[in-house]
Amino acid sequence: MPTPRTHDERLAVARGRLRQEQQMWLSTGGRHGPHLIPVAFVEDDDAIVTATGESSRTVRNLRETGRARVAVGTTSDVVMVDTVLDGLVPVPEVATDVADRFAAVSHDPRKMSGYLYIRLLPRRVQVWNGFHEFRGRTVILKGEWLSEPVD
């Protein structure tokens, strides 16, 4: 069995992926059941920012529960993020640098009608690349980066 990465290595992976990756799976749920979409994202001061249609099922679920789960990477090497909604931001109110960075990796909601930006705050982040890394996979808990593993 492969040797698990250290806690510090996993911290670096999580930080790197959230800063450098551009695509994620975004999962929400509500009274109509679970919903999963692939979307582009950018990081903004530890928030994960994406955009989608304001009348979408994703937005309805976020309004209902205020929670989402994000997956970045592959099924064999993933950063899994449990988030809380920080805000549904109307297009004119998003910071220009955030909108510019998002437009560079996806469509530009400033040029489309009916869109809004979604700001998600990580509450728990887990990093693993196989069964051998299940222990020690949590690197953020209750929104705080951990200095040592808790699981």
Side-chain angles (χ1 to χ4, degrees):
M1 187 172 291
T3 303
R5 292 172 288 186
T6 67
H7 181 75
D8 287 341
E9 289 170 328
R10 292 186 207 200
L11 283 171
V13 166
R15 286 183 170 124
R17 289 242 178 103
L18 293 174
R19 286 187 184 125
Q20 297 165 7
E21 294 284 334
Q22 303 168 348
Q23 300 293 317
M24 67 180 181
W25 288 101
L26 174 59
S27 175
T28 60
R31 69 187 123 202
H32 298 292
H35 186 62
L36 178 68
I37 60 171
V39 289
F41 77 97
V42 295
E43 185 191 45
D44 181 42
D45 294 329
D46 288 329
I48 297 168
V49 180
T50 190
T52 195
E54 60 189 332
S55 62
S56 69
R57 187 167 171 186
T58 297
V59 170
R60 285 193 312 270
N61 286 345
L62 286 168
R63 288 184 197 278
E64 183 180 331
T65 68
R67 297 179 308 151
R69 182 168 246 206
V70 167
V72 179
T74 67
T75 57
S76 62
D77 194 6
V78 68
V79 174
M80 191 73 69
V81 187
D82 292 325
T83 68
V84 294
L85 180 63
D86 185 44
L88 298 170
V89 184
V91 169
E93 295 176 22
V94 75
T96 301
D97 71 305
V98 173
D100 289 345
R101 287 188 293 117
F102 186 80
V105 300
S106 186
H107 61 282
D108 190 345
R110 296 170 294 185
K111 297 179 180 178
M112 304 168 75
S113 63
Y115 274 74
L116 52 73
Y117 291 90
I118 298 169
R119 288 183 57 87
L120 300 168
L121 295 177
R123 302 305 297 155
R124 181 177 72 161
V125 174
Q126 297 176 311
V127 180
W128 72 91
N129 66 7
F131 183 75
H132 67 285
E133 284 199 347
F134 274 22
R135 290 191 64 180
R137 66 188 176 267
T138 301
V139 297
I140 288 182
L141 191 60
K142 298 179 183 174
E144 299 293 327
W145 290 97
L146 300 173
S147 58
E148 59 187 47
V150 296
D151 50 11

